Amino acid sequence: MKAIYKLGVICAICGFTSCNDMLDTVPQGQFTAEQLDDSSVEGLVASAYAGLEAHFFGNNEAFAGPSTNWIFDVRSDDAYKGGGGTGMEENIHLLEVSEVNSDNVSCLNKWQNNYYAISRVHNAMLAVQNASSVSNAEAVIGELKTLRAWYYFDLIRIFNRIPYFVEGEDVNTKPNDEYSREEIFSFIKRDLTEAIEVLPAQKSAVGRITKTTAQAIMAKVCAFTSSWEDVKTYADAVINSGQYSLYANFGDLSKIDKNNGSESVFALQVSTANDNAHINWSNLLNCTYSDGNLYGTGDDFFYGSQNLVNAFRTDPATGLPILDGTFNKVNVTENYAGTLDPRLDFTVGRIGLPWRGHTYNEKWCRAYDTYGEFSNKKAWPAPEVSLATWPWGCNPLNFMFIRYADILLLKAEALIETATGNNAAEDAGLVEARNLVNQIRQRAANSVDGNYSPVDLDPSKADYYVGLYPTDWDGNLYWTKERARMALRFERRLELALEGNRWFDLVRWGSDYLIKTMNTYMTEESTLRSYYQGRSVTDKEIFLPVPLAEIDNSNGLYKQY
């Protein structure tokens, strides 16, 4: 337990006049309760926000988030570990092949990242509660409760049983079996409910948590507990706030000038100021190798899987996804001549296709024979606006934990799961769900724009075709509850690919669904990636084990699950 709480109370003097002010907080010393005022408390709040970076003592622990959570996409059917080979960062390779032991450092890093961050939240909470003069104290506590909810949510969807405590409690008396998973979810929801009551509707400064931030997080939490009526309520609150809209072009997701734009609901604030102190450390390894050293010699981790790439195939007659289970029967390679969803070429690199105005080729791929060609792309703006020095390709592109498209799809999913009719001719909720899914697909279709810069699509080399789910009478009969569910889940995969959502979606859709999906994936993918041969996932391997080091340091308080 002691390893978790080394941090103590650190304070800083700064104001939130800009996102860089928040990021560039420098510890200035310690204060008594009488000395605590707005400026010193803001320093502690900045420290609590900085927990989102997960960059406490070094670099490698940041790979486990709670920012991009890319190592959990690697656990899913969306991604390979990448890098120079399976032995490089082998702890992440073991996650990919579902060989997870309690001494895996990724388990320890994920656990410690979140509990360090929770410690910072509690330090700030106690400071606000004890300060003699702090303005907007209720709203500040609301921000901190939202952060605490996010950190605990990140933990409970990864570990089966965790210790839960609030500010002022003696952590050295808190076992990890004191509360059930259901109770911990209820505590998370309680924090968010209380935060929503006091948070401002509008940001006081860029990057600050607002009422809609907490409502969006609540929608995701409620989806994880299948509380579908609540998902509708909180998703509606975000949608009806009038503060958000989809970007016009899917490629805008990778543009720095869109930071904190209309699609950004909750984002990690990133900066290259102060010698890159607040870049997206979780993405440190993931920049493509890049022929010609455009980004510097990136480590080239986190690749899209062939299975994911194949999922972007569309029916040439309708432009719809291939939902009959055969999407993976044909591999999308350099010679593929069928129709594709253009989101593919905004998501991964493909040989012979554009990458931010450059031509992607095999030399961009560090270990082509092991991992293939599909370097992740969303996190990397054009090399001309990135720094081709260490860390390779570092840039000030924010990472969106939650974007508006996610909320639209959660609302659609809730409508589908609560539908009482068998098809859209019988159930208005299914009609509304289809309209939301089609809104996402329409943006994808609109993104095929030859005048968009930098260039990521080449219609002369790829046949892009995205259709909408039909809305006429036959379409209403086509859009059954079961087909709507399949379409929604497929759409989440396409829209949110390589953004840290896929594994958690599989987990919340149930162990049977996850196991069938992952074991089919590993069997099929083993023909391309030999390291999948003989691999499988069981229900005992869905959640990470409690880290062995934490069990050893807990004086018997922690049990393995």
Side-chain angles (χ1 to χ4, degrees), residues 322-381:
I322 299 171
L323 300 180
D324 64 359
T326 64
F327 76 90
N328 201 44
K329 298 300 182 183
V330 176
N331 287 338
V332 176
T333 63
E334 291 179 71
N335 299 319
Y336 177 76
T339 53
L340 290 168
D341 188 313
R343 286 175 289 187
L344 171 61
D345 290 326
F346 289 117
T347 301
V348 298
R350 291 200 298 140
I351 289 174
L353 274 293
W355 174 298
R356 314 291 188 232
H358 301 267
T359 301
Y360 186 84
N361 59 52
E362 191 173 323
K363 294 180 180 179
W364 290 59
C365 309
R366 183 178 184 182
Y368 178 84
D369 290 342
T370 303
Y371 293 115
E373 67 181 85
F374 306 121
S375 293
N376 78 88
K377 191 175 188 180
K378 280 182 177 175
W380 308 106

Side-chain angles (χ1 to χ4, degrees), residues 167-195:
E167 74 279 11
E169 289 193 286
D170 182 359
V171 300
N172 294 301
T173 66
K174 307 294 287 187
N176 71 326
D177 61 353
E178 180 178 11
Y179 301 112
S180 67
R181 290 180 58 81
E182 292 75 16
E183 288 174 311
I184 290 173
F185 274 111
S186 73
F187 299 151
I188 292 168
K189 291 178 181 180
R190 180 183 64 193
D191 264 350
L192 291 168
T193 299
E194 293 174 356

Side-chain angles (χ1 to χ4, degrees), residues 307-484:
N307 184 286
L308 171 66
V309 170
N310 294 346
F312 286 89
R313 294 173 56 223
T314 61
D315 184 316
T318 64
L320 294 174
I322 299 171
L323 300 180
D324 64 359
T326 64
F327 76 90
N328 201 44
K329 298 300 182 183
V330 176
N331 287 338
V332 176
T333 63
E334 291 179 71
N335 299 319
Y336 177 76
T339 53
L340 290 168
D341 188 313
R343 286 175 289 187
L344 171 61
D345 290 326
F346 289 117
T347 301
V348 298
R350 291 200 298 140
I351 289 174
L353 274 293
W355 174 298
R356 314 291 188 232
H358 301 267
T359 301
Y360 186 84
N361 59 52
E362 191 173 323
K363 294 180 180 179
W364 290 59
C365 309
R366 183 178 184 182
Y368 178 84
D369 290 342
T370 303
Y371 293 115
E373 67 181 85
F374 306 121
S375 293
N376 78 88
K377 191 175 188 180
K378 280 182 177 175
W380 308 106
E384 290 76 15
V385 294
S386 298
L387 303 178
T389 57
W390 190 92
W392 318 123
C394 69
N395 63 78
L397 180 68
N398 286 353
F399 176 79
M400 285 186 278
F401 299 113
I402 306 176
R403 57 185 177 90
Y404 187 57
D406 190 355
I407 298 301
L408 293 177
L409 290 172
L410 287 176
K411 170 69 183 299
E413 185 173 0
L415 290 164
I416 293 165
E417 295 303 328
T418 56
T420 56
N422 292 324
N423 55 51
E426 301 173 356
D427 194 294
L430 289 174
V431 174
E432 185 180 355
R434 179 178 56 199
N435 291 341
L436 290 167
V437 172
N438 277 345
Q439 187 177 338
I440 300 293
R441 294 188 62 75
Q442 185 65 65
R443 193 263 297 273
N446 293 345
S447 296
V448 183
D449 183 350
N451 296 318
Y452 194 75
S453 179
V455 177
D456 282 302
L457 307 181
D458 187 346
S460 72
K461 294 182 178 179
D463 187 1
Y464 301 116
Y465 181 26
V466 175
L468 306 185
Y469 288 100
T471 58
D472 58 16
W473 177 252
D474 288 339
N476 284 339
L477 297 177
Y478 168 87
W479 190 253
T480 62
K481 181 170 181 174
E482 182 56 33
R483 186 173 286 113

Side-chain angles (χ1 to χ4, degrees), residues 191-222:
D191 264 350
L192 291 168
T193 299
E194 293 174 356
I196 289 165
E197 292 176 354
V198 298
L199 284 167
Q202 303 289 335
K203 291 181 175 67
S204 58
V206 171
R208 295 296 287 259
I209 285 170
T210 66
K211 188 184 299 289
T212 53
T213 313
Q215 289 165 331
I217 295 172
M218 182 72 100
K220 288 186 75 73
V221 172
C222 291

Side-chain angles (χ1 to χ4, degrees), residues 7 53 62 77 148 164 276 295 326 333 351 387 394 464 535 545:
L7 296 178
E53 297 178 18
D77 51 350
R148 179 168 67 188
Y164 183 93
N276 303 325
Y295 289 99
T326 64
T333 63
I351 289 174
L387 303 178
C394 69
Y464 301 116
R535 301 292 188 174

Side-chain angles (χ1 to χ4, degrees), residues 27-49:
Q28 298 292 326
Q30 297 187 0
F31 297 84
T32 66
E34 291 74 20
Q35 293 172 319
L36 286 166
D37 57 15
D38 282 354
S39 61
S40 53
V41 166
E42 287 291 85
L44 281 170
V45 174
S47 178
Y49 271 93

Side-chain angles (χ1 to χ4, degrees), residues 119-138:
S119 176
R120 290 184 173 197
V121 168
H122 289 166
N123 287 338
M125 281 184 170
L126 292 170
V128 173
Q129 292 162 5
N130 294 328
S132 56
S133 175
V134 175
S135 59
N136 301 316
E138 275 194 336

